Amino acid sequence: MNEKDCVGTIKGVGPKTQKLFEKLGIDTVGDLLHYYPRTYEQFGEPVPLAEIEEGELVSVAGYIKKRPDINMKSPLKIVTAVLSEHGASLRMTWFRMPFLRTKLVPGSFFIYRGHIARKKGVLVMEQPKIYTPSEYEQLKHVLQPVYPLTAGITSNTIRKAVRQVLLDRGCKKEYFPAELRKKYKLAEYNFAIET
């Protein structure tokens, strides 16, 4: 794959995604490779509910004890679920995702990641990402690039496209220098990608 090739030639980048890339100024494979992250995110161990604080970006884990509520009257179709643990609780809400009611069944165990806010005196995580324990394990302690975005595209979409280009070029792994991995307690960067 050549750096001058259109970004649409990357496997997994269809016409719709290509237009979103173009909104970011990414027209070619070279543009994509030089579209640098604004920061990196590291997924650590899930935090106990009693220790979460407003304003933090955290991961929490727990069982769904009650089927989520859904407000179908709202144009946003708000889905609400509550995690509770040793007297602490966290309300989680998703917008325009009514299908989650069938995924988040009582007894299911997931790891949720998102920002903590306080609304009407209650801690809330809005639009958290949902992971199975095995999915989360692949992301733990691996730096994930976070890119400047436009509506309709996610950092994960960009990560997958970059990964595809690097794999196509024969770059199967990239490692941070050993001294940096030791200093920041980082695992080898191995293109772990959210699913």
Side-chain angles (χ1 to χ4, degrees):
M1 187 174 292
N2 190 293
E3 286 199 19
K4 293 182 181 178
D5 289 345
C6 171
V7 74
T9 61
I10 300 169
K11 183 179 176 183
V13 176
K16 182 178 176 185
T17 305
Q18 181 178 342
K19 286 181 182 176
L20 293 172
F21 274 125
E22 288 168 357
K23 280 187 181 179
L24 294 170
I26 301 171
D27 299 310
T28 66
V29 170
D31 292 337
L32 176 66
L33 291 177
H34 294 282
Y35 191 73
Y36 301 113
R38 59 182 171 80
T39 188
Y40 289 86
E41 180 180 7
Q42 187 170 354
F43 288 44
E45 294 293 337
V47 177
L49 294 184
E51 295 178 17
I52 61 175
E53 294 182 12
E54 182 180 359
E56 292 182 325
L57 170 64
V58 297
S59 300
V60 295
Y63 288 94
I64 294 292
K65 295 179 182 174
K66 176 182 170 280
R67 193 175 222 36
D69 295 322
I70 181 165
N71 183 352
M72 293 299 284
K73 292 180 181 177
S74 165
L76 297 177
K77 296 186 174 45
I78 302 169
V79 177
T80 305
V82 176
L83 281 184
S84 56
E85 170 186 85
H86 307 298
S89 65
L90 174 67
R91 190 175 83 218
M92 300 179 296
T93 57
W94 294 267
F95 306 100
R96 297 186 179 94
M97 300 176 78
F99 62 87
L100 286 179
R101 196 161 191 267
T102 58
K103 179 176 183 173
L104 301 175
V105 296
S108 58
F109 183 88
F110 291 104
I111 298 169
Y112 307 88
R113 185 165 178 80
H115 285 92
I116 302 296
R118 186 175 296 276
K119 295 200 172 178
K120 297 180 180 176
V122 176
L123 289 178
V124 178
M125 185 184 279
E126 291 184 340
Q127 215 69 15
K129 294 182 179 174
I130 305 170
Y131 304 93
T132 65
S134 61
E135 289 168 343
Y136 194 83
E137 191 62 34
Q138 291 177 27
L139 298 170
K140 247 177 26 179
H141 309 298
V142 178
L143 286 180
Q144 296 293 322
V146 178
Y147 294 92
L149 303 173
T150 188
I153 197 165
T154 65
S155 282
N156 197 47
T157 301
I158 299 172
R159 286 181 209 132
K160 285 181 179 179
V162 170
R163 180 178 190 264
Q164 187 60 48
V165 170
L166 295 177
L167 288 175
D168 184 71
R169 295 175 134 214
C171 303
K172 297 200 176 181
K173 284 193 176 184
E174 179 184 41
Y175 299 96
F176 284 94
E179 63 273 9
L180 289 180
R181 289 202 311 273
K182 184 177 179 183
K183 179 179 178 182
Y184 295 106
K185 299 178 184 170
L186 302 176
E188 292 173 350
Y189 179 52
N190 61 1
F191 300 124
I193 298 292
E194 296 174 43
T195 53

